[in-house]
Amino acid sequence: MIDLSTEYLGLSLQSPLVASSSPLTKDVANLKRLEDAGAAAVVLPSLFEEQITAEAEALDQVLSQGADSSPEAQSYFPDFQSYGIGPKAYLDHVCRAKKALTIPVIGSLNGVSPGVWIRYAREIEQAGADALELNVFFLATSLEVGAQEIEQRYCDLVRDLKANVRIPVAVKLAPYFTSMANMAHRLDQAGADALVLFNRFYQPDFDLEAMEVTPNLKLSNADELRLRLHWVALLSAQIRPELAITGGVHTAEDVVKGIMAGAKVVMLTSALLANGVSYVSELAGRLVEWMGEHEYDSVRQMRGALNVSSVAQPEMFARANYLKVLGSYTLEASHRR
Ligand SMILES: Cc1cc2nc3c(=O)[nH]c(=O)nc-3n(C[C@H](O)[C@H](O)[C@H](O)COP(=O)(O)O)c2cc1C
């Protein structure tokens, strides 16, 4: 009997296959389908800082004008449904998800600046979330703001969040730090229980006919996994927070690679959007098959087998690899294509 079980954020999970934050986790019927297909946990779509602060501002406006005296007061509330779930509806969603599912439900807050919005974490906890993911999607575009200030902001956010909740907190990050390892270490010191590597940067495209910048969300491909494998393999041997991989997990082999790099769980969005929710059970089946063929009894046995402390050539994770990769390219190979 092959044992797929794992632990993540203090939760016992039946497998390392987690559905990451996406429109698929937005309604309870889909969440139930994910559970039935074998997802070990689900991360709900993010509640965005902007949604919380916009509602707070609208409420201030209503209160200052006397909500009861003005029937138009309701119109001050922005239409949150147009760009996601508003704060109140979000808490309802957490409650309903918890009632409908037996697998753990992870809430998600998405924001970048210090502020009262972070206190919403407590409400998500009270609504029943088993853990919380903080997605700090921050694009540094100001000429005035340096790396140190930005990194400090991440740490302050995590400290602030941890001070507000008792449930475990994972931090979802982009890879664009000068010193990723140091950043991971500082987030550890700030209290992060897990790091989710990595956010994808949705680069806009140019529409040359319309002369416009257009949003362009493409689903991931398996090549994107490599950056995650690199950092998880490097960090899993060195830091306390658990590591989750998000980005580029599409096949059972991808799952195995993630675990062997040292991840506690791997997360799925693009693979499920492309293949349907039932793909979770297909992946689990293929994972069991792969493990059987390669004589592994459990996920625990595989974990970290290819991290930096377990491989014969740890230098392959650093500059030596860069040199070797460049040196390994032959023009003959490129001509054969
Ligand atoms: C349509 C769409 C919506 C998403 N919404 C969120 C979100 O609200 N919060 C979040 O943290 N990540 C969100 N993500 C990112 C996914 O959780 C995931 O990290 C990313 O897609 C990379 O994983 P993948 O390669 O499995 O797709 C979204 C992704 C997609 C495609």
Side-chain angles (χ1 to χ4, degrees):
M1 192 61 187
I2 289 177
D3 177 12
L4 294 187
S5 68
T6 185
E7 299 85 36
Y8 178 58
L9 295 172
L11 306 162
S12 297
L13 304 186
Q14 69 205 27
S15 88
L17 305 177
V18 171
S20 43
S21 184
S22 86
L24 281 174
T25 58
K26 205 168 178 175
D27 73 74
V28 174
N30 259 342
L31 289 170
K32 195 75 192 100
R33 288 173 60 221
L34 282 163
E35 174 172 272
D36 293 345
V42 289
V43 187
L44 301 184
S46 296
L47 176 58
F48 290 82
E49 170 187 343
E50 290 81 354
Q51 289 172 269
I52 301 170
T53 46
E55 183 166 273
E57 277 160 22
L59 185 62
D60 272 356
Q61 207 174 348
V62 170
L63 291 177
S64 66
Q65 304 207 8
D68 290 339
S69 62
S70 162
E72 303 138 86
Q74 289 302 319
S75 66
Y76 295 130
F77 286 93
D79 177 16
F80 291 109
Q81 301 306 334
S82 62
Y83 62 102
I85 315 179
K88 298 268 180 320
Y90 194 84
L91 298 179
D92 278 354
H93 185 48
V94 177
C95 269
R96 286 189 300 119
K98 273 303 289 176
K99 280 200 189 111
L101 305 180
T102 56
I103 56 173
V105 172
I106 302 173
S108 169
L109 266 180
N110 196 318
V112 290
S113 43
V116 290
W117 67 274
I118 210 114
R119 295 201 197 125
Y120 232 85
R122 198 178 303 155
E123 309 226 20
I124 295 176
E125 176 177 36
Q126 280 162 4
D130 296 288
L132 196 64
E133 197 173 274
L134 172 68
N135 184 337
V136 190
F137 190 94
F138 182 66
L139 282 180
T141 52
S142 163
L143 301 185
E144 308 300 326
V145 183
Q148 216 165 11
E149 195 179 319
I150 291 163
E151 291 173 10
Q152 191 56 45
R153 182 188 284 215
Y154 276 74
C155 296
D156 291 345
L157 275 177
V158 173
R159 273 206 185 84
D160 208 2
L161 186 59
K162 284 291 288 184
N164 275 279
V165 290
R166 288 202 206 107
I167 50 176
V169 171
V171 185
K172 188 169 179 178
L173 294 169
Y176 308 111
F177 293 97
T178 303
S179 176
M180 185 65 225
N182 176 258
M183 194 61 217
H185 176 56
R186 288 175 61 193
L187 290 168
D188 176 2
Q189 291 175 323
D193 299 293
L195 303 180
V196 183
L197 308 182
F198 286 117
N199 254 323
R200 294 176 73 214
F201 173 32
Y202 299 107
Q203 296 102 325
D205 202 356
F206 287 171
D207 178 335
L208 294 178
E209 297 309 317
M211 288 298 282
E212 273 174 8
V213 181
T214 51
N216 191 354
L217 196 159
K218 289 213 168 93
L219 297 183
S220 71
N221 61 55
D223 286 344
E224 294 181 37
L225 181 61
R226 291 199 193 181
L227 180 71
R228 280 84 182 160
L229 293 178
H230 174 87
W231 282 110
V232 171
L234 267 166
L235 294 174
S236 62
Q238 303 184 69
I239 59 167
R240 181 197 52 87
E242 297 173 314
L243 296 169
I245 288 183
T246 179
V249 178
H250 287 260
T251 64
E253 283 79 8
D254 296 340
V255 177
V256 171
K257 287 178 187 175
I259 304 296
M260 289 201 176
K264 284 290 185 85
V265 295
V266 296
M267 296 189 169
L268 306 160
T269 284
S270 292
L272 303 183
L273 288 171
N275 302 298
V277 162
S278 62
Y279 190 60
V280 182
S281 70
E282 218 174 299
L283 262 189
R286 288 199 208 139
L287 177 61
V288 166
E289 247 171 62
W290 191 96
M291 289 170 68
E293 282 161 18
H294 295 80
E295 300 182 358
Y296 285 100
D297 297 330
S298 68
V299 159
R300 275 186 202 90
Q301 200 188 353
M302 298 198 298
R303 184 170 306 117
L306 287 173
N307 76 7
V308 74
S309 65
S310 313
V311 293
Q313 293 173 290
E315 66 279 5
M316 289 304 283
F317 287 110
R319 187 170 164 85
N321 183 40
Y322 166 68
L323 298 176
K324 225 169 181 163
V325 168
L326 295 184
S328 71
Y329 191 83
T330 60
L331 287 177
E332 290 75 23
S334 90
H335 288 150
R336 258 183 263 129
R337 282 210 197 109

